[in-house]
Amino acid sequence: MTKVTAQLSVSMDGFYAGPQFAGEGDWMDSAESAGFFRVTRWVTDAMAWRERQGFAGGEQDTNSDVVAESFGSAGAYVMGRRMADGGEVPWGEEPPFRAPVFVVTHRPRQPLLRGGGTSFTYVTDGVASAVEQARAAAGGKDVAVAGGGSLVRQVLKAGLLDQLDLHVVPVVLGTGLRLFDADLDLGEKEAIELTPTRVIHAPQVTHIRYEVRGRAPLVLDDRGSGGGPTVTE
Amino acid sequence: MTKVTAQLSVSMDGFYAGPQFAGEGDWMDSAESAGFFRVTRWVTDAMAWRERQGFAGGEQDTNSDVVAESFGSAGAYVMGRRMADGGEVPWGEEPPFRAPVFVVTHRPRQPLLRGGGTSFTYVTDGVASAVEQARAAAGGKDVAVAGGGSLVRQVLKAGLLDQLDLHVVPVVLGTGLRLFDADLDLGEKEAIELTPTRVIHAPQVTHIRYEVRGRAPLVLDDRGSGGGPTVTE
C-alpha cells in the first residue's frame, strides 16, 4: 500500500543546511551549502547515490543500502520549488529520481520530461493536490516527499505524512535551516506523536525511521505503548 | 578514568521542556512542564528511577537499565542553579543522586548535606571550577552534568564535555527550551563534531551516546572515519 514518506539528513541540532543563502556570490561557497554538504556527506559518499548520479566509486555499506532502499521504495516524488529549481541544471538530462516528480510551486509551467523515467510536473494548487497526483502516479509504491524542510513541514502539518526517516548526523551546526520550525501550528500543550520503528547505527549517521501517529494533547497520563527494546553497540 | 558526561531527554525537534514558565500560577500546570514531563516520561516510568525516588512500581526494561547505568556511572554531579532550586523541595531529605552535587550559581551559600550520600556545594566561580571540583570528588567515576540545557551548552562550549547521551523522544513539541541554542559561539562554517558510539532502540525513546570530538571547520574534504554499521529493527 502506498505510504507518504519523507526523509531528511539533519544535524543533531536539527538543521538540514546552514543559514539561508542571501543570493550574493556562489551558493557552493555559502554557509548554507557548507552545512548542507556536511549533513549529506554520508549520502554523497554512498555508492548507491553515486551510481544514480553517474559518479564512480563510493562506499558500499549500510549507508549505501539505506540510499538504495529509499530510491527503490519511491514510486513518485513531491518536491519543493526551491529544490527543483536548484537541481534542474546539476541533475542534467537524466536526474536520479527515475520516477514522476510533482513540484509544488506558484508558477504554472509545462511538464518537463527527462531521461531514465524522470518527469517534473508543476502543481500550482497546493501540497495536498501534489501528494494526490503523486499517489496516483506511484503505481503502488511510496510517495516520497523529497524536501526541502519547509515542504516536509507542510505535509506533516496537513496530516498527510505516514513515515519520516531522519538521518541524524553527529554534528552541531549552531545555526541554519531547521527541519522543524515554528510554522507547524501546534496549540499550547499540543504535540505531534510518532513511533520509532527502526534504527540503523553507523559511525557517520544514525538512521531513525518514525511512523507518524498524529497530533495529541500533552497530558500526564497519555502513556506510550509497549514493545521490546533492543541494543546496538 | 573520569569522563565528563551529560545527558538530556529531548523531543525530535530538540526541546527538553516546553516554553519557559513565566512565573504566574503553578509550574506543574505550565506548558514548560507539559513538555518536560512528555520528554521525561520514559524516565518516570522506569523502575530504576522510581526506586531512587522511593516510588513503587515502574517498568523493568531497557529504559530502566539506561537510568540505572546513568546513576551508577556518576561519581559527582554538576548542576545548574535553576534545576537545583526547583528540585530542592521535591527531592526531599534523600535526593536521588547519592553523590556530591556542585551547583553553578552566582549566590554564595553554605553546603547543604542531605541523606543517602547527596550533598550540594554552591560554586560561584564558574562552570569550569564546578567541573574540576566534581572531578576531584568523583572518586574515579564520571562527572555527570545534570542540566538544564543552558549548563550543558556551557560545558560543551568550554570544550569540557567528553560524552553526551541524548534520549530522543518521538514527539514534535514545536516550541520550548532547546538543548542546542545560539549561544555556542560557533563561527561561520564551524561546527562541533561528535561520534555516535552506541544506540539503544526502544518504542518510547531512542538513546544515542555521542563521544565529543570538538570544534572543526566545515570543509568539503573533511571525511568522517569508518567502522561497521549495524541494524536494529
Side-chain angles (χ1 to χ4, degrees):
Chain A
M1 209 187 79
T2 297
K3 293 192 300 283
V4 179
T5 66
Q7 59 158 335
L8 215 60
S9 296
V10 291
S11 65
M12 289 171 62
D13 46 350
F15 300 108
Y16 63 91
Q20 186 156 358
F21 179 50
E24 289 166 30
D26 187 351
W27 181 81
M28 290 292 290
D29 296 330
S30 69
E32 180 184 330
S33 80
F36 174 75
F37 287 122
R38 175 64 193 88
V39 299
T40 56
R41 182 188 298 158
W42 71 273
V43 182
T44 49
D45 281 352
M47 186 179 284
W49 184 86
R50 301 183 67 84
E51 276 174 356
R52 283 269 176 146
Q53 308 288 330
F55 298 161
E59 303 291 329
Q60 179 53 64
D61 57 8
T62 295
N63 293 331
S64 184
D65 293 344
V66 167
V67 172
E69 178 194 51
S70 169
F71 278 128
S73 61
Y77 291 85
V78 175
M79 191 178 287
R81 197 269 308 164
R82 194 164 174 252
M83 179 171 166
D85 279 1
E88 187 165 333
V89 172
W91 290 326
E93 292 303 313
E94 226 172 271
F97 306 102
R98 301 184 190 168
V101 179
F102 296 85
V103 180
V104 180
T105 177
H106 294 290
R107 296 175 310 188
R109 181 174 165 182
Q110 288 301 308
L112 178 65
L113 296 176
R114 295 295 206 186
T118 300
S119 61
F120 295 92
T121 302
Y122 301 89
V123 178
T124 55
D125 56 346
V127 63
S129 168
V131 168
E132 272 322 293
Q133 292 181 53
R135 193 190 295 273
K141 294 174 114 180
D142 291 344
V143 170
V145 179
S150 156
L151 182 70
V152 174
R153 285 198 299 280
Q154 285 179 58
V155 176
L156 180 63
K157 181 173 146 184
L160 297 171
L161 192 66
D162 298 310
Q163 178 181 297
L164 174 63
D165 281 293
L166 279 193
H167 312 290
V168 183
V169 174
V171 66
V172 174
L173 294 180
T175 179
L177 298 174
R178 285 190 196 283
L179 167 56
F180 295 114
D181 219 325
D183 54 0
L184 284 167
D185 278 352
L186 287 164
E188 182 171 289
K189 300 189 190 178
E190 185 188 38
I192 298 172
E193 294 280 347
L194 304 92
T195 300
T197 57
R198 185 182 74 172
V199 177
I200 300 177
H201 169 46
Q204 304 84 2
V205 52
T206 307
H207 307 278
I208 313 180
R209 172 162 292 172
Y210 292 99
E211 179 189 317
V212 182
R213 288 161 53 201
R215 286 168 193 252
L218 286 173
V219 291
L220 279 175
D221 58 354
D222 173 33
R223 296 290 159 121
S225 59
T230 44
V231 184
T232 313
E233 299 210 35
Chain B
M1 209 188 81
T2 297
K3 293 191 300 282
V4 178
T5 67
Q7 59 158 334
L8 214 61
S9 296
V10 292
S11 64
M12 289 170 63
D13 45 351
F15 299 109
Y16 62 92
Q20 187 157 356
F21 179 50
E24 290 167 29
D26 186 352
W27 181 80
M28 290 293 290
D29 296 329
S30 69
E32 180 184 330
S33 80
F36 174 75
F37 286 123
R38 175 63 192 88
V39 299
T40 56
R41 183 188 297 159
W42 71 274
V43 182
T44 49
D45 280 353
M47 186 178 285
W49 184 85
R50 301 183 67 84
E51 276 174 356
R52 282 268 176 146
Q53 307 287 330
F55 298 163
E59 303 291 329
Q60 180 52 64
D61 58 8
T62 295
N63 292 332
S64 184
D65 293 345
V66 168
V67 172
E69 178 194 50
S70 170
F71 278 128
S73 61
Y77 291 85
V78 175
M79 189 178 288
R81 196 269 308 163
R82 194 164 174 252
M83 179 170 167
D85 279 1
E88 187 165 334
V89 172
W91 289 327
E93 291 303 313
E94 227 173 270
F97 307 102
R98 302 185 190 166
V101 179
F102 295 85
V103 180
V104 180
T105 178
H106 294 290
R107 295 175 311 188
R109 181 174 164 184
Q110 288 302 307
L112 178 66
L113 296 176
R114 295 295 206 187
T118 300
S119 61
F120 295 91
T121 301
Y122 301 89
V123 178
T124 55
D125 56 346
V127 64
S129 169
V131 168
E132 272 321 293
Q133 292 181 53
R135 192 189 295 273
K141 295 174 113 181
D142 291 343
V143 170
V145 179
S150 156
L151 183 69
V152 175
R153 285 198 300 279
Q154 285 179 58
V155 176
L156 180 62
K157 181 173 146 185
L160 297 171
L161 192 66
D162 299 310
Q163 177 180 298
L164 175 62
D165 281 293
L166 279 194
H167 313 289
V168 183
V169 174
V171 65
V172 174
L173 294 180
T175 180
L177 298 174
R178 285 190 195 283
L179 168 56
F180 295 113
D181 218 325
D183 54 0
L184 284 166
D185 278 352
L186 286 164
E188 183 172 287
K189 301 189 190 178
E190 185 188 38
I192 298 171
E193 295 280 348
L194 304 91
T195 300
T197 56
R198 185 181 75 171
V199 176
I200 301 176
H201 169 46
Q204 304 85 2
V205 52
T206 307
H207 308 278
I208 313 180
R209 172 161 292 173
Y210 292 98
E211 180 189 316
V212 182
R213 287 161 52 200
R215 285 166 195 253
L218 286 173
V219 291
L220 280 174
D221 59 353
D222 173 33
R223 297 287 158 126
S225 59
T230 44
V231 185
T232 313
E233 299 210 35

